[in-house]
Amino acid sequence: MTCHYLRVNIVIRSHLHACALQVVQLIKTEVPAHLRGTLWRCLLQTRSLKEHSTFNYRANVVAVREQLVDLGVSEYSSLNSVQQLHEHDDGATAVAPHGGTARRPHAGHLCIRVLRQIMLDVDRTFPDHVLFGGTTDHAREGRAALFRVLALYARFNPTVGYCQGMGYIAAMFLMQTDDEEEAFWSCVALFESHKYLLGFYSESLTRIKDHALVFDKLLQQKQPLLRQHLVRRPSVRRVIFTQSYDAVNEL
């Protein structure tokens, strides 16, 4: 087992393009838990992404916390905060692109409806996992970290903001990397890249629709009787991929 861990570590830290087949083989035999964060960091190239971005994570955490203080809520008590945010009604749409630079971290505030939706969804995300469920300090910090990652992505890309479903991906990165800022940059790498999930969380859902059409073609080739069954139930066909969907900032 120790030999396998050593091989995984060597491959991860070497140039991934040069040994892609080895990486695939090692993933199939399971990547040790303590090396999964390293693997994600290498695969998504988050270090380079962070170095070339003007977005300062810590400065923007401060900005979000200052907004929460102004609203009288906290990332550590999401259920109470949701109730309090219902009392607020603002016309804000989004924050300035990328939340300003490090010198101006307070350039904009998140829409209250976005904050409220994130807080609602944080408590619904992996509620049985030790990192997010329960009343322990560890779980409270895990939920707060998940809130911060999602809120800061909404500042990073106000055009997309926050969409339901992002929380499960962010939570998975928090589990695997054990590093809040690393989880944030991993989300950015996935959500902002055409190679991965760019377009899946857009209001038009263009990429999801494209994938649904591809799936439909495959279903026609591989399982024609099942496709025929679904054709007779059109309301079921699209719901396989997504139900009626609205971006949070249109609620």
Side-chain angles (χ1 to χ4, degrees):
M1 188 66 71
T2 304
C3 181
H4 172 68
Y5 286 5
L6 183 60
R7 286 195 303 119
V8 173
N9 209 1
I10 292 171
V11 171
I12 288 173
R13 294 181 183 282
S14 62
H15 197 275
L16 288 170
H17 293 294
C19 52
L21 289 177
Q22 249 187 306
V23 171
V24 171
Q25 290 170 357
L26 291 171
I27 287 174
K28 287 180 178 179
T29 57
E30 186 182 2
V31 176
H34 68 283
L35 294 176
R36 291 172 189 171
T38 304
L39 178 60
W40 277 115
R41 183 165 59 250
C42 293
L43 289 172
L44 297 175
Q45 300 179 12
T46 53
R47 184 172 298 173
S48 174
L49 184 63
K50 179 180 176 180
E51 289 174 354
H52 290 87
S53 175
T54 60
F55 189 86
N56 186 300
Y57 187 83
R58 293 186 180 183
N60 279 274
V61 167
V62 172
V64 168
R65 281 179 168 161
E66 287 182 348
Q67 182 182 3
L68 294 180
V69 169
D70 290 343
L71 293 169
V73 298
S74 168
E75 74 245 52
Y76 289 95
S77 56
S78 52
L79 285 179
N80 292 334
S81 297
V82 167
Q83 295 173 356
Q84 290 176 262
L85 288 173
H86 272 296
E87 301 172 6
H88 295 273
D89 185 23
D90 66 354
T93 54
V95 298
H98 296 276
T101 64
R103 288 191 293 176
R104 294 189 62 197
H106 316 297
H109 279 175
L110 285 168
C111 172
I112 289 177
R113 285 167 290 179
V114 171
L115 290 173
R116 187 171 63 219
Q117 190 62 52
I118 293 174
M119 287 183 171
L120 270 171
D121 291 343
V122 161
D123 282 334
R124 302 168 179 167
T125 305
F126 295 119
D128 297 324
H129 193 280
V130 65
L131 184 58
F132 306 109
T135 57
T136 64
D137 290 343
H138 185 61
R140 289 180 70 248
E141 184 57 49
R143 290 193 296 271
L146 179 57
F147 168 82
R148 291 190 292 269
V149 170
L150 295 171
L152 264 69
Y153 179 76
R155 284 179 65 86
F156 181 89
N157 187 341
T159 302
V160 173
Y162 169 73
C163 296
Q164 289 178 307
M166 289 180 171
Y168 286 97
I169 295 175
M172 181 275 294
F173 282 128
L174 285 169
M175 295 176 199
Q176 300 293 339
T177 64
D178 197 30
D179 183 300
E180 180 182 322
E181 186 172 354
E182 187 63 35
F184 166 78
W185 287 109
S186 297
C187 286
V188 171
L190 277 186
F191 298 154
E192 299 288 315
S193 171
H194 285 282
K195 183 179 179 181
Y196 301 118
L197 298 180
L198 183 65
F200 277 94
Y201 292 102
S202 66
E203 294 178 22
S204 64
L205 295 177
T206 304
R207 287 195 68 188
I208 289 182
K209 291 173 183 175
D210 290 343
H211 279 248
L213 290 173
V214 171
F215 178 78
D216 190 57
K217 296 290 186 185
L218 290 172
L219 202 60
Q220 187 174 5
Q221 293 174 12
K222 305 294 184 181
Q223 296 288 341
L225 292 179
L226 176 58
R227 182 183 180 278
Q228 207 171 47
H229 175 75
L230 293 175
V231 165
R232 292 194 292 267
R233 292 162 176 77
S235 61
V236 177
R237 296 180 67 201
R238 295 300 180 186
V239 86
I240 293 173
F241 294 92
T242 179
Q243 299 178 12
S244 178
Y245 173 96
D246 290 305
V248 169
N249 56 6
E250 285 198 353
L251 291 174

